[in-house]
């Protein structure tokens, strides 16, 4: 009977290790697919707030997930993300984004103001590891679409002014209908 318990416990240990390895592999894959990862301390928000936050983030292409710090450390060991290890203390949630490098930080900063809770712990964007202050500064950068809209607006304004000027010149030199230029 004692031998059976030992083998069963031993087998559970192997199953537990395999389960943890699957999670570590999932974390590695998420890091590799993402152009940005923001780490936040999520302590203090309610379950309802967390659900609302996840929904908002998901609608904007950001996936917010909670992992054990030890599993994340194992997943990022020996990679370019290893510098995030210093941020992995206490409760940590990870916002992964594959499309917009600033979306996760920007949306999380908005949520922090709304809930008056949570805080940045660090992040990774396009090959660089950032500390909490740098992630907060990153959150102030407008989205790509907003930057393009601003740029197009700045180009469009002078062109519109030029068109109005040409129209005014043309209107001044225009000959009234029914008259000829010789009259």
């Amino acid at each position: 009977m004692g031998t059976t318990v030992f083998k069963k416990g031993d087998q559970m240990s192997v199953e537990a290790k395999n389960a943890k390895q699957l999670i570590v592999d999932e974390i590695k894959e998420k890091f590799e697919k993402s152009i940005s990862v923001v780490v936040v301390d999520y302590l203090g928000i309610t379950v309802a707030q967390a659900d609302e936050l996840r929904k908002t983030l998901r609608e904007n292409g950001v996936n917010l997930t909670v992992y054990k710090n030890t599993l994340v450390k194992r997943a990022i060991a020996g990679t370019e993300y290893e510098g995030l290890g210093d941020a992995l203390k206490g409760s940590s949630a990870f916002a992964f984004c594959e499309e917009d490098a600033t979306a996760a930080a920007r949306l999380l900063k908005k949520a922090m103001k709304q809930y008056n809770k949570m805080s940045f712990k660090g992040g990774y964007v396009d090959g660089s590891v950032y500390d909490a202050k740098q992630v907060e500064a990153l959150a102030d950068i407008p989205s790509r679409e907003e930057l393009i809209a601003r740029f197009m607006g700045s180009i469009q304004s002078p062109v519109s002014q030029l068109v109005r000027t040409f129209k005014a010149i043309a209107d001044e030199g225009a000959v009234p209908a029914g008259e000829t230029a010789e009259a």
Side-chain angles (χ1 to χ4, degrees):
M1 186 116 175
T3 308
T4 307
V5 172
F6 178 72
K7 285 185 181 178
K8 190 172 185 179
D10 201 27
Q11 186 177 7
M12 289 294 285
S13 176
V14 170
E15 288 175 7
K17 285 181 183 178
N18 288 340
K20 285 182 181 180
Q21 187 56 48
L22 288 174
I23 295 170
V24 168
D25 292 342
E26 175 186 311
I27 295 167
K28 282 181 184 180
E29 184 178 338
K30 282 189 175 185
F31 267 92
E32 289 168 1
K33 284 183 176 181
S34 301
I35 60 170
S36 71
V37 179
V38 175
V39 185
V40 293
D41 182 343
Y42 64 93
L43 217 54
I45 64 171
T46 66
V47 173
Q49 290 171 332
D51 289 343
E52 182 184 331
L53 177 59
R54 278 192 173 99
K55 181 183 177 209
T56 302
L57 291 171
R58 200 174 25 252
E59 289 170 352
N60 289 282
V62 179
N63 180 354
L64 184 70
T65 311
V66 176
Y67 290 113
K68 285 183 141 187
N69 290 334
T70 54
L71 296 178
V72 175
K73 285 179 182 178
R74 211 183 294 174
I76 64 175
T79 68
E80 60 189 311
Y81 318 107
E82 193 169 31
L84 278 177
D86 295 339
L88 303 180
K89 295 176 181 92
S91 59
S92 300
F94 303 85
F96 297 94
C97 189
E98 296 178 17
E99 298 167 11
D100 183 349
T102 63
R106 195 172 52 255
L107 294 167
L108 286 167
K109 184 173 183 177
K110 185 177 177 182
M112 288 173 191
K113 286 180 182 176
Q114 179 182 349
Y115 302 135
N116 207 17
K117 300 200 168 121
M118 301 191 308
S119 61
F120 289 118
K121 295 172 80 175
Y124 173 87
V125 180
D126 281 334
S128 299
V129 174
Y130 293 91
D131 65 18
K133 287 181 182 178
Q134 292 169 319
V135 172
E136 190 162 348
L138 183 69
D140 294 331
I141 297 174
S143 69
R144 183 175 186 265
E145 290 76 22
E146 190 176 335
L147 288 172
I148 290 171
R150 286 182 186 180
F151 176 70
M152 294 306 290
S154 68
I155 290 175
Q156 192 173 10
S157 181
V159 171
S160 296
Q161 182 64 36
L162 184 63
V163 169
R164 283 192 295 276
T165 303
F166 284 152
K167 184 172 180 355
I169 292 171
D171 288 347
E172 275 183 22
V175 178
E179 295 182 19
T180 61
E182 294 174 13

